[in-house]
Amino acid sequence: MINGNTFIKAMRCLARANGDPVAAVEIARRDYDEGPVVGLLQKAIIVDTSDLGGDAAWRASIAEFMAGVGVYDLLPRIGAISPLHTIPLRTRVLIQDEDPVALWTGEAEPVVVSGASFTETKVEPQKVCGLIVVTKEVVALASDAAEASLTRSLQRAIAKLTSAAAFAAAPVAGAPASLLVDAVEVSSTGDVRTDMAALTAAFKGDIERAVLVTSSNTAMSLCLQPSLVGSAAGLGVKGGVFCGLPVVASSALADGLIALVDAGGIAYGDGGVELDVATQADVTIENVTHSLWQENLVGYLARRFVAWQAAPGSIAYVANADWPPASAATTRTKQ
């Protein structure tokens, strides 16, 4: 089963019924029998889908969809390896930016209070939208393949946008500030060993909970370096392990970026997603406006609310790393 299919099935039935939840219930009964899809649509007869946020079944279907987003999304992938500092959105919280120190205390001696530093913050979410437009013929297909394709397309679209913005070199309009803002930047020398040593030296976070974050191409370049044979034996385009450090790689990131991230220093808030379907709207694709109704198209829209923020010293990174490929190094050796 594809994570998130419950909601996509409900949206598909609504699309086939041109937004009429009563007709959508009958389509769901015919295609899926009685089950969670029918239950969601029955509630939509009484309450509009945008007002179902407090319903347990509705929240479960959204959580199911977001579990699929997390398969592709960079920050949840990091959090699955080394926990992020997950916080509620729009709520004041304390972020610890200095670890407390435990002290040995002799018998009958007073306990000395150790230092710890906290910063109060309130994280406001930003909204990211993903829109997938398909033909009504695709919507009419009640096949696992069609629904899986719709689900994965929406999930990947959302995950790619948030992943890219979280580690963007330049500000992304409408997105939370990049985690690289105020992070320590290390200049690349062109030598992989020198760059990685400098990156580790510049990192001020907790190395025991650190994760290397890079692009898929840079991960491949790193694991093919002849001078690092053995150090990157468990590394590939999807990540892995490098010198004992877990690595998360994503094609959403710029090539040449490799960041050392203290996951516990990243405040992360995820407000979930709102999903909707449109059959009457006009949409612009590559500067061309299309009428969904006139062209027999259906738009699946996902709106996600998310925020992130890095504590001082929790990230160091190398940008524009330019290491010679293994083939070039091998050729020079043979000559």
Side-chain angles (χ1 to χ4, degrees):
M1 178 179 178
I2 304 300
N3 279 334
N5 259 7
T6 299
F7 204 96
I8 292 299
K9 287 177 178 178
M11 293 296 100
R12 172 190 163 273
C13 293
L14 276 173
R16 290 203 63 193
N18 293 318
D20 181 358
V22 175
V25 168
E26 296 308 312
I27 293 173
R29 281 202 177 104
R30 185 192 65 204
D31 290 346
Y32 307 119
D33 297 322
E34 295 291 340
V37 176
V38 173
L40 289 179
L41 293 171
Q42 285 175 330
K43 293 172 183 177
I45 295 174
I46 304 172
V47 181
D48 186 81
T49 55
S50 61
D51 297 324
L52 279 172
D55 182 75
W58 186 266
R59 292 198 308 270
S61 69
I62 296 299
E64 180 192 35
F65 181 87
M66 290 306 298
V69 173
V71 173
Y72 310 106
D73 197 357
L74 197 54
L75 285 174
R77 288 174 61 197
I78 293 172
I81 297 171
S82 182
L84 303 169
H85 187 90
T86 305
I87 60 174
L89 297 173
R90 302 185 181 93
T91 303
R92 289 187 301 171
V93 295
L94 293 178
I95 302 297
Q96 183 176 303
D97 52 24
E98 180 182 337
D99 289 333
V101 179
L103 302 173
W104 292 106
T105 304
E107 187 67 28
E109 291 182 1
V111 176
V112 179
V113 177
S114 61
S117 177
F118 295 87
T119 301
E120 183 182 277
T121 186
K122 182 179 180 181
V123 178
E124 295 290 344
Q126 301 296 326
K127 179 172 69 174
V128 59
C129 296
L131 176 65
I132 303 296
V133 177
V134 298
T135 64
K136 284 191 175 180
E137 287 78 11
V138 171
V139 173
L141 295 174
S143 67
D144 290 341
E147 290 161 1
S149 177
L150 285 173
T151 304
R152 287 187 177 123
S153 295
L154 270 177
Q155 290 169 337
R156 287 179 67 90
I158 296 170
K160 186 172 183 178
L161 280 174
T162 53
S163 297
F167 289 90
V172 177
S178 169
L179 293 172
L180 301 184
V181 174
D182 298 327
V184 179
E185 181 176 359
V186 176
S187 299
S188 177
T189 65
D191 179 76
V192 63
R193 284 181 174 271
T194 302
D195 288 354
M196 297 307 294
L199 177 64
T200 305
F203 182 61
K204 304 303 181 185
D206 187 342
I207 194 70
E208 291 187 0
R209 61 187 186 191
V211 177
L212 275 174
V213 178
T214 187
S215 75
S216 297
N217 287 335
T218 303
M220 177 61 78
S221 175
L222 187 61
C223 72
L224 291 178
Q225 293 297 312
S227 62
L228 297 178
V229 172
S231 301
L235 186 60
V237 294
K238 293 184 178 181
V241 179
F242 175 77
C243 292
L245 283 169
V247 180
V248 175
S250 171
S251 60
L253 301 191
D255 290 338
L257 171 69
I258 183 162
L260 192 54
V261 179
D262 180 352
I266 308 301
Y268 178 67
D270 189 346
V273 68
E274 293 177 355
L275 295 169
D276 206 349
V277 62
T279 58
Q280 304 292 326
D282 291 337
V283 300
T284 301
I285 304 174
E286 295 181 350
N287 298 320
V288 177
T289 300
H290 298 266
S291 168
L292 299 183
W293 179 75
Q294 290 181 341
E295 299 180 40
N296 287 322
L297 301 174
V298 176
Y300 286 87
L301 175 64
R303 292 180 292 267
R304 185 184 183 190
F305 301 87
V306 66
W308 53 73
Q309 184 175 312
S314 57
I315 300 177
Y317 70 99
V318 176
N320 303 316
D322 186 17
W323 304 315
S327 57
T330 303
T331 301
R332 287 198 300 269
T333 301
K334 289 181 178 180
Q335 292 174 346

